[in-house]
Amino acid sequence: MKAVQMVKAGAEPELRDVPKPTPGPGQVLVKVTAAGACHSDDFVLNAPEGAFPYPLPMTLGHEGVGVIAELGQGVSTVSEGTAVAIYGPWGCGVCHFCSQGLENYCSRAADLQITPPGLGHDGAMAEYVVVDDPRHLVPIGDLDPATTVPLTDAGLTPYHAIKASLSKLLGGTTAVVIGSGGLGHVAIQMLRHLTPARVIALDVTQEKLDFAKQVGAHEAVLSDADAVENVRKITGKDGATAVFDFVGYQPTINTAMGVVGTMGDVTIVGLGDGKAAASVGFWSQPYEVSVRTPYWGARAELIEVLDLARDGVLDVAVERFSLDDGVAAYRKLAANDLRGRAVVVP
Ligand code: NAD
Ligand code: ZN
């Protein structure tokens, strides 16, 4: 079968022919109907050699949707032919975090060498993918695979991030979204649907600012050296109640800290260059600001996000590519030339 694989650190992925996998005991084989390309893939592909000691070559794709094709020995809770989304941040299933569905924070995953598909072992950017346990599958019914697959990360991650600030985002408050890309454009829609907050989006080109407004931002502001001043012109002295940074470089973290108001939340989702740091201390930000760095989301939250999609409140923008053009999808992502998410449809 065809697969888009990371072959070498610091190099472009490659389209390669690999054997079709077979599910082991307890596992499930999924025939992929859509796989998403995430900026985190780009981060991993370009990280220095050894930073992510994945066994290479490795099939990319931590966003996957497909149809159950074959059940491993002993699997009885799911059936062949069911359309499913894959929950990516796998954990051990039994530790305290996993018991709450927060497998993204499994305390034993590292020790047990449990990794997400596409981020440590073969992922979904192929014709077939093996899923380790049926609990990592959520039925999607008749949702469209291509517009649904980004919800497994570009939907789940902002949803988990926003949920933590929901109780603060009341009438008259402001939420700021930095970076209106794959995750950011879904975040804007979730904020509009789940809260009465005024949403201000930031990005680096007029095209992206127009896109942010099309998906629901009330205001769009260029993310430049004047961004803090321009956002504060809108929020007034109170500043923003919640800031979600989907970029995570030092300049955007500085912007986030500059626009947040007293008792506000700063949530840094973007990985940036892996080096940026929030300057935290008594004189660095308003009183009682909370700073968070959430990773992905809980299993139950993926079910909630798919329910939002079923309610028709999410309009996920996707650019479709064939598996043969999977490498081109990553090129376009790296060039920051996408509107929404790049999705490979095998
Ligand atoms: P993306 O490339 O689709 O979107 C990034 C957006 O940020 C683009 O619209 C781009 O124009 C914009 N941007 C770039 N520089 C900017 C700046 N200085 N100011 C404002 N906007 C700027 O990326 P994505 O797939 O949405 O991922 C976003 C980030 O989130 C990445 O760093 C990714 O690695 C990270 N991520 C984190 C998690 C997590 O669990 N924490 C999960 C998925 C992705
Ligand atoms: Zn666990």
Side-chain angles (χ1 to χ4, degrees):
M1 68 169 188
K2 288 177 190 168
V4 178
Q5 294 199 309
M6 173 176 180
V7 178
K8 195 168 160 285
E12 273 199 330
E14 292 176 25
L15 179 71
R16 301 180 77 234
D17 243 312
V18 300
K20 178 183 164 188
T22 40
Q27 300 180 331
V28 179
L29 183 72
V30 173
K31 185 173 184 354
V32 178
T33 51
C38 178
H39 215 106
S40 300
D41 295 328
D42 190 67
F43 183 84
V44 164
L45 285 161
N46 293 302
E49 202 164 342
F52 294 97
Y54 299 158
L56 299 179
M58 174 195 78
T59 303
L60 291 163
H62 56 270
E63 289 185 344
V65 155
V67 175
I68 296 178
E70 197 183 325
L71 305 180
Q73 199 191 331
V75 176
S76 59
T77 53
V78 292
S79 320
E80 279 177 29
T82 305
V84 287
I86 300 168
Y87 172 77
W90 299 353
C92 71
V94 296
C95 73
H96 191 253
F97 283 107
C98 284
S99 301
Q100 303 166 72
L102 286 161
E103 295 201 28
N104 49 328
Y105 298 139
C106 175
S107 53
R108 304 200 306 152
D111 288 346
L112 296 172
Q113 293 181 304
I114 299 170
T115 54
L119 293 169
H121 67 276
D122 287 340
M125 200 128 322
E127 292 172 63
Y128 290 90
V129 61
V130 170
V131 174
D132 68 335
D133 192 292
R135 78 173 186 276
H136 294 139
L137 299 171
V138 181
I140 63 167
D142 55 8
L143 287 174
D144 169 44
T147 53
T148 301
V149 75
L151 298 177
T152 60
D153 181 4
L156 176 56
T157 302
Y159 183 75
H160 177 75
I162 290 166
K163 247 175 94 170
S165 294
L166 276 186
S167 62
K168 293 186 182 178
L169 289 170
L170 305 172
T173 60
T174 303
V176 173
V177 172
I178 305 177
S180 309
L183 274 66
H185 93 285
V186 182
I188 291 167
Q189 298 178 49
M190 289 174 165
L191 284 163
R192 286 303 313 274
H193 185 70
L194 299 173
T195 82
R198 167 176 291 267
V199 178
I200 306 175
L202 274 67
D203 210 301
V204 287
T205 64
Q206 189 55 46
E207 233 181 327
K208 295 271 190 177
L209 296 183
D210 292 344
F211 175 49
K213 281 198 146 183
Q214 279 158 24
V215 297
H218 295 96
E219 310 273 357
V221 172
L222 206 56
S223 180
D224 60 12
D226 301 327
V228 171
E229 195 187 326
N230 289 331
V231 170
R232 285 214 167 246
K233 272 185 202 155
I234 303 169
T235 62
K237 272 187 99 165
D238 284 352
T241 301
V243 187
F244 302 94
D245 181 359
F246 294 102
V247 183
Y249 283 89
Q250 196 65 60
T252 57
I253 292 180
N254 293 346
T255 298
M257 299 305 262
V259 301
V260 70
T262 299
M263 297 183 87
D265 291 345
V266 171
T267 305
I268 301 162
V269 178
L271 309 180
D273 54 7
K275 296 189 192 108
S279 165
V280 179
F282 223 83
W283 315 109
S284 306
Q285 68 281 315
Y287 293 125
E288 212 172 317
V289 163
S290 302
V291 180
R292 277 193 285 265
T293 50
Y295 168 67
W296 225 328
R299 267 169 55 210
E301 289 170 340
L302 179 55
I303 296 172
E304 292 162 26
V305 169
L306 292 172
D307 281 341
L308 282 182
R310 259 178 223 111
D311 289 345
V313 299
L314 301 177
D315 184 9
V316 182
V318 298
E319 290 193 28
R320 291 174 171 79
F321 297 82
S322 67
L323 250 185
D324 289 337
D325 288 333
V327 178
Y330 278 108
R331 228 172 262 157
K332 226 175 158 192
L333 173 71
N336 197 15
D337 195 19
L338 287 165
R339 190 177 179 277
R341 203 67 159 170
V343 170
V344 166
V345 182

